[in-house]
Amino acid sequence: MASDQTKRKLAAIFAADIVGYSQLMGADEEGTLARLKELRSELIEPKNKQHHGRIVKTTGDGILIEFPSVVDSVRCAIGIQQGMVERNAGVPQEKRIEFRVGGQSWGRDDRRPRSLW
């Protein structure tokens, strides 16, 4: 008899979105989009690759990344947040791009996610 078992894997999900995205876009759409594109290519994508993530989905102001471990997810989040502190130094508060970050993990037998932070 063939087995119809569901295959499961461990995963940690990193979710981030931009605080005040609508206000930033309203004040300077082209500049905000250019800065966001730069952040993704120079900070987010390298940190994601460094920590073995896989981008699952992007939206205008958000991103979901899957990681093989909670440790990789948290390290990536810390690296991105530290990078943002450096990039926002000297930028007026109303022009800063700041990420709201969270994470959840799914285990082999979990029926719902567990919040990481």
Side-chain angles (χ1 to χ4, degrees):
M1 176 179 206
S3 174
D4 290 334
Q5 279 189 326
T6 302
K7 289 189 177 188
R8 299 176 194 261
K9 66 178 181 176
L10 297 173
I13 305 297
F14 166 107
D17 72 334
I18 297 172
V19 176
Y21 182 71
S22 296
Q23 292 171 336
L24 289 167
M25 290 293 284
D28 180 11
E29 182 176 352
E30 289 180 5
T32 299
L33 289 174
R35 289 173 39 222
L36 182 55
K37 184 177 178 180
E38 181 180 296
L39 283 172
R40 283 184 177 161
S41 67
E42 294 180 7
L43 179 64
I44 296 170
E45 290 172 7
K47 290 294 179 189
N48 174 47
K49 185 176 180 178
Q50 177 185 354
H51 298 289
H52 317 290
R54 180 180 70 87
I55 296 175
V56 176
K57 182 178 182 176
T58 60
T59 61
D61 73 331
I63 192 164
L64 288 175
I65 306 173
E66 176 189 47
F67 291 89
S69 80
V70 171
V71 172
D72 286 330
S73 178
V74 172
R75 286 181 177 161
C76 183
I78 290 169
I80 289 172
Q81 292 295 57
Q82 287 173 337
M84 291 308 300
V85 168
E86 294 167 9
R87 287 175 175 272
N88 280 327
V91 176
Q93 182 67 39
E94 68 276 3
K95 292 188 176 189
R96 290 182 184 174
I97 293 179
E98 296 176 325
F99 288 103
R100 184 177 19 240
V101 177
Q104 295 186 327
S105 68
W106 287 83
R108 286 189 185 102
D109 299 320
D110 289 345
R111 293 196 174 137
R112 58 182 175 198
R114 298 177 189 179
S115 292
L116 300 174
W117 66 88

